[in-house]
Amino acid sequence: MEQSRLEQNPEKRKAILVQGAKIVWEECPWLWLHVEKFVIAYSSKIENMPVTPTELFFPTYITMK
């Protein structure tokens, strides 16, 4: 990363970043498959809170008993 920050030539910078990406891919001991974007609350008092497959959250439609 430090080399890519110092390199002014765009083609050389790209080659450095590609090399770095290969190192991360080959040597990375972990992989994030999913990161929850928000906390979903479950309560019998909460109504009209849909959980969508795209994780979009619309608090406008939530009502409380």
Side-chain angles (χ1 to χ4, degrees):
M1 292 307 297
E2 184 63 29
Q3 287 177 348
S4 72
R5 291 184 190 108
L6 299 174
E7 182 57 58
Q8 298 296 314
N9 182 311
E11 292 301 316
K12 289 181 181 179
R13 182 182 295 149
K14 180 180 176 183
I16 292 167
L17 291 171
V18 167
Q19 181 183 6
K22 287 178 182 178
I23 291 169
V24 170
W25 182 256
E26 292 170 2
E27 297 183 13
C28 181
W30 37 256
L31 177 65
W32 290 304
L33 296 177
H34 177 75
V35 176
E36 192 66 43
K37 294 180 183 177
F38 59 89
V39 176
I40 299 173
Y42 292 98
S43 171
S44 59
K45 295 179 182 180
I46 299 174
E47 294 181 335
N48 302 315
M49 183 178 162
V51 178
T52 65
T54 59
E55 297 182 0
L56 293 175
F57 179 63
F58 302 103
T60 309
Y61 304 113
I62 296 174
T63 56
M64 300 292 288
K65 287 185 182 179

